[in-house]
Amino acid sequence: MSEPTRTPSAARRWLLIIAVALPGLLLAGAGWHHPTGLDLSTAHDWWSAHVPLVPVFPLLGVALWVLLREETGPVAWIGKIGAYLFGCFYTALDCLAGIAAGLVLETEGRGQQSIIELISLGDRLSYVGTVSYLVATVCVAGLLFRRAGWAVLPGAVLLIGAAVPFQTSHIFWPTGVVAMVLTGLGAGLVEWARPVRRAPLATV
């Protein structure tokens, strides 16, 4: 005969909630300390702040992959590809307009056309990344709404809403920092709203 079902570990559920919320919250903290502009006085802090962010920015896309882990079909793949493209193209911004531009300014001083070109190229690439990220958040919201219903709406609204200013404000204070806080909260709430699947106990 079959035994009663059991729910997955509460600890595992909270671990997933924290895991998807953490990237946004980490980036909010980084944005709090990030220089608001690039000049000779901030050049060192500017580029050195971006070095540890190289592995952190793609985690926003990884969080969306985690939220889509049980989803299949074309919309799920669009979301996963969007999250992947974000990780690629936004990392390019981080390296070009963050590390390279700051380092060139610190070592070579003002008036470098290369700095303008690095920032310009980084901005163009980041637009591809942030638009891909926005598309991915819409896919996450739609698929999880289908799975969880209205319970997912608060988190979905925060996740999508934060992805809009992220395109231009990045993680800069104040708008970008607020966007990253809302991104973390939104992702955590979406995961929290996911219906708990009951796993059957062993039969005897």
Side-chain angles (χ1 to χ4, degrees), residues 101-167:
L103 188 58
V104 168
L105 180 58
E106 182 186 26
T107 56
E108 299 186 19
R110 295 184 185 275
Q112 298 297 321
Q113 181 63 27
S114 57
I115 298 173
I116 298 173
E117 295 299 330
L118 286 167
I119 293 175
S120 177
L121 177 57
D123 284 342
R124 294 197 298 272
L125 294 174
S126 77
Y127 183 72
V128 177
T130 54
V131 169
S132 298
Y133 179 79
L134 176 60
V135 170
T137 62
V138 173
C139 293
V140 168
L143 291 170
L144 270 294
F145 182 82
R146 183 182 65 179
R147 179 181 293 273
W150 292 103
V152 83
L153 188 61
V157 169
L158 292 180
L159 195 60
I160 296 173
V164 175
F166 179 48
Q167 296 179 70

Side-chain angles (χ1 to χ4, degrees), residues 159-179:
L159 195 60
I160 296 173
V164 175
F166 179 48
Q167 296 179 70
T168 54
S169 296
H170 303 287
I171 62 171
F172 294 121
W173 170 261
T175 306
V177 171
V178 173

